[in-house]
Amino acid sequence: MTSLDELPLRDDLRGIAPYGAPQEPVRISINVNENPYSVPEEVATHVIQHIARSLPGLNRYPDREFVELREKLAQYLGHGISREQVWAANGSNEVLQQLMQVFAGPGRTVMGFNPTYSMYPLIARGVGSEWIGAERDSDFEISPETARKAVALHQPDVLILCSPNNPTGTALSLETIAAAYDAAPGIVIVDEAYAEFRPDGMPSALELLPGRPRLVISRTMSKAFAYAGARLGYFAADAAVADAVRLVRLPYHLSAITQAAASGALDYSDLMLAQVDLIREQRDRLVEEIAKLGYRVYPSASNFVMFTGVENPNEMFEEFYRRSILIRDNGIPGCLRVTAGTEAETTAFLDALAEITRERPELQSKEATR
Ligand code: PMP
């Protein structure tokens, strides 16, 4: 096989690595923040009927405007959002890519607060933009003042705020988001991929949409909806933003089958989301129990937690892997991330962590055990 170096690759893509979370046949996969529960039987039956109805029409291109799906997404979001304000694509990664294609692009900048979702710099690079990774306050928080200062300094064309943040779990206050918006010259995306897992009473940035035409809230059916394999992400914003992405989207980008699958699932959103509370319980259990083993756990509003106090994250990752448990080393010094699974999966993870800590005490940092 020819090597990448021998191909006439774009100069700005040389030397960068693709997204590569491992997909391995292990006993317990708690590394990419998936929902551990399968699609309920009743919903699956309904979705099959929806897809079956779309099949004879597959000789024709699908509805380019996916009107029915946008209507249902708007209803699901509430907050008085209309279907004209909603847009969807094959996963929120594609939503973000379309937004960056139209509002960033060559010679422009995309900014976020590190550490954050690893795809942001890759998508930015893919559209020819420069990624700016600003710094957070202690414990990965971002105060309104920190946000305002960094945005005012860098003046990014696109600002992307992940809340709750992957991989740290940190949620941003509406004050921080509003302060960042006021300081930003361009589009501000709040990636709420994990919003449904936030604690009761914590508001969504959807509340900030009225009167903020440069604000975009991105969501996905991959996490709380247990629909990662269906590939459906979406955003809510001023209707003009949805109009703008029409300039770059490929015609008919959402297949009739995708539209039918997503629309069918949305008819049963209550059932699809039924396990969210169980997952939140396991998340809270992880926070409590990992701390009891002498690690420091960051507060999480998501379906995963990040903990620190690991002397050698790579070695500890390998110890879990040897036990057929896949967790995530995001390359943050001293830290590992784990997704809240079923009760049994969470138990298996906690038992393994206790065992590893006991058998390989050198993998836990000295400060952590003090
Ligand atoms: N945003 C965040 C913060 C994520 O963690 C992920 C997936 N891990 C995505 C977006 C993309 O998800 P999807 O393309 O499946 O909607």
Side-chain angles (χ1 to χ4, degrees):
M1 193 180 100
T2 315
S3 81
L4 273 192
D5 285 341
E6 294 169 78
L7 291 176
L9 212 60
R10 265 165 50 183
D11 287 340
D12 60 339
L13 294 183
R14 286 196 188 280
I16 66 171
Y19 178 85
Q23 283 194 306
E24 308 262 347
V26 290
R27 188 165 56 99
I28 298 177
S29 291
I30 40 178
N31 66 328
V32 287
N33 305 335
E34 290 156 333
N35 191 312
Y37 296 98
S38 36
V39 175
E41 190 81 32
E42 198 183 337
V43 189
T45 308
H46 177 71
V47 168
I48 288 166
Q49 287 163 358
H50 250 250
I51 293 176
R53 273 203 297 278
S54 77
L55 274 174
L58 288 189
N59 59 313
R60 300 287 177 193
Y61 284 113
D63 176 7
R64 203 171 45 210
E65 290 296 312
F66 43 100
V67 175
E68 180 188 323
L69 177 58
R70 280 162 60 217
E71 180 67 44
K72 288 184 186 175
L73 288 167
Q75 270 169 25
Y76 167 68
L77 287 177
H79 289 83
I81 290 165
S82 69
R83 79 162 181 251
E84 289 75 22
Q85 295 178 264
V86 173
W87 185 255
N90 297 283
S92 51
N93 282 325
E94 190 181 61
V95 165
L96 298 175
Q97 185 181 49
Q98 290 180 346
L99 287 165
M100 288 195 205
Q101 280 177 322
V102 75
F103 294 113
R108 290 192 163 198
T109 56
V110 179
M111 179 180 136
F113 287 84
N114 284 335
T116 193
Y117 180 39
S118 61
M119 278 305 299
Y120 300 155
L122 285 177
I123 300 173
R125 190 75 81 87
V127 303
S129 299
E130 184 197 340
W131 166 256
I132 300 168
E135 276 184 31
R136 291 171 182 260
D137 301 322
S138 59
D139 291 345
F140 307 114
E141 307 277 343
I142 309 172
S143 70
E145 196 45 24
T146 297
R148 196 194 57 71
K149 273 196 196 144
V151 175
L153 176 69
H154 295 292
Q155 300 280 306
D157 296 292
V158 172
L159 172 67
I160 180 151
L161 303 168
C162 191
S163 181
N165 185 48
N166 180 6
T168 61
T170 324
L172 297 179
S173 69
L174 294 193
E175 290 72 30
T176 290
I177 294 167
Y181 181 90
D182 288 343
I187 287 289
V188 177
I189 305 169
V190 183
D191 181 349
E192 288 197 337
Y194 301 96
E196 288 92 347
F197 298 109
R198 70 194 190 275
D200 294 336
M202 185 182 277
S204 157
L206 288 170
E207 290 190 9
L208 295 176
L209 269 185
R212 291 186 175 85
R214 292 176 290 109
L215 185 64
V216 185
I217 317 299
S218 155
R219 293 275 188 108
T220 180
M221 292 180 77
S222 294
K223 309 296 180 179
F225 263 89
Y227 226 32
R231 310 306 300 129
L232 203 288
Y234 55 103
F235 72 66
D238 191 287
V241 177
D243 252 355
V245 293
R246 286 185 177 88
L247 297 173
V248 296
R249 63 87 178 263
L250 299 176
Y252 320 109
H253 68 288
L254 272 186
S255 83
I257 292 175
T258 303
Q259 292 184 40
S263 162
L266 283 160
D267 291 337
Y268 283 84
S269 54
D270 288 353
L271 260 185
M272 290 293 275
L273 294 169
Q275 319 298 345
V276 164
D277 282 347
L278 287 181
I279 295 169
R280 294 198 300 182
E281 272 170 32
Q282 295 308 312
R283 184 255 337 265
D284 293 341
R285 182 175 164 222
L286 282 171
V287 172
E288 225 169 89
E289 298 295 324
I290 298 174
K292 282 190 196 155
L293 293 170
Y295 299 89
R296 199 161 151 247
V297 195
Y298 295 97
S300 171
S302 197
N303 68 335
F304 54 84
V305 304
M306 196 171 86
F307 59 99
T308 189
V310 184
E311 188 62 34
N312 186 335
N314 186 42
E315 230 345 85
M316 188 173 280
F317 169 91
E318 291 294 337
E319 283 289 343
F320 277 102
Y321 189 66
R322 277 194 266 283
R323 289 163 175 82
S324 205
I325 301 175
L326 204 50
I327 60 166
R328 190 68 176 268
D329 175 3
N330 294 92
I332 302 170
C335 295
L336 285 169
R337 189 194 73 191
V338 54
T339 307
T342 61
E343 186 176 0
E345 287 171 334
T346 305
T347 301
F349 164 81
L350 288 168
D351 288 350
L353 183 62
E355 189 180 272
I356 296 165
T357 308
R358 202 168 51 241
E359 289 177 3
R360 305 264 330 254
E362 76 280 9
L363 292 183
Q364 189 169 44
S365 347
K366 305 273 171 311
E367 312 89 78
T369 45
R370 240 185 260 146

